[in-house]
Amino acid sequence: MILYFVIINHVDLYPWNNLVVPQLSSTLAGIIPFSIYLIAFRKRIQWLMLIGVVHSYVWLGLQVRQWWIPYLFGPTPIHQDFSWYTDHGYRETLKFLPAVGNRPVPDAEHIVQQLLSLAVVITSTAAYRQIRRGEQIGRACPSG
């Protein structure tokens, strides 16, 4: 997910993406925390792993909020204005979902990002639970 995020934010792959403006701040907001979480999982730093799992859910939730709520429901109290969609050039990116009125349509670039984010949520949750379970079993069965 980290590599994909860097590529789509910095490599012009039109019509897959449409780099209207530089994406450095967006890239850093994604790669810094997820790189830290990756290290935490490799070193089994459980408290930081848990933060990474929770952050992964938030990350995915924000993507659902940004793309799927406007697509499925149109204007809502949190989505009154869809100018972000046009301003960032998303009207011109590759899509395979049908348009619904004037609502933003999730493009292929972001659907792949969301699927990768879902994979991070699933695998990080499973890995954290497995490590926690292993630690609890180790405490219940003292060696000796």
Side-chain angles (χ1 to χ4, degrees):
M1 181 189 79
I2 294 170
L3 180 60
Y4 179 76
F5 195 61
V6 170
I7 291 169
I8 63 171
N9 278 346
H10 297 280
V11 178
D12 186 2
L13 301 170
Y14 185 84
W16 188 257
N17 61 1
N18 190 7
L19 294 177
V20 175
V21 295
Q23 301 290 319
L24 182 60
S25 60
S26 170
T27 303
L28 293 175
I31 66 170
I32 291 172
F34 282 104
S35 295
I36 292 169
Y37 306 145
L38 184 60
I39 293 166
F41 273 88
R42 288 185 184 257
K43 296 195 175 281
R44 296 182 178 217
I45 305 169
Q46 289 188 24
W47 65 271
L48 192 51
M49 291 168 58
L50 178 59
I51 292 171
V53 169
V54 171
H55 185 246
S56 297
Y57 278 88
V58 170
W59 178 268
L60 181 59
L62 289 172
Q63 293 176 61
V64 169
R65 178 190 181 273
Q66 182 72 15
W67 286 97
W68 291 98
I69 291 175
Y71 178 67
L72 297 172
F73 303 106
T76 67
I78 59 172
H79 288 98
Q80 292 296 321
D81 179 22
F82 299 137
S83 63
W84 61 270
Y85 185 72
T86 305
D87 293 350
H88 292 282
Y90 297 127
R91 275 201 198 284
E92 301 172 30
T93 55
L94 185 65
K95 295 164 193 62
F96 53 84
L97 293 173
V100 180
N102 199 24
R103 300 176 188 177
V105 178
D107 58 10
E109 168 199 350
H110 286 89
I111 290 173
V112 169
Q113 180 180 335
Q114 292 154 13
L115 290 172
L116 291 170
S117 298
L118 179 61
V120 168
V121 163
I122 292 168
T123 56
S124 65
T125 301
Y128 179 74
R129 291 182 70 188
Q130 182 178 14
I131 288 169
R132 291 284 299 165
R133 191 176 318 121
E135 180 182 281
Q136 290 170 354
I137 291 170
R139 287 184 189 157
C141 302
S143 58

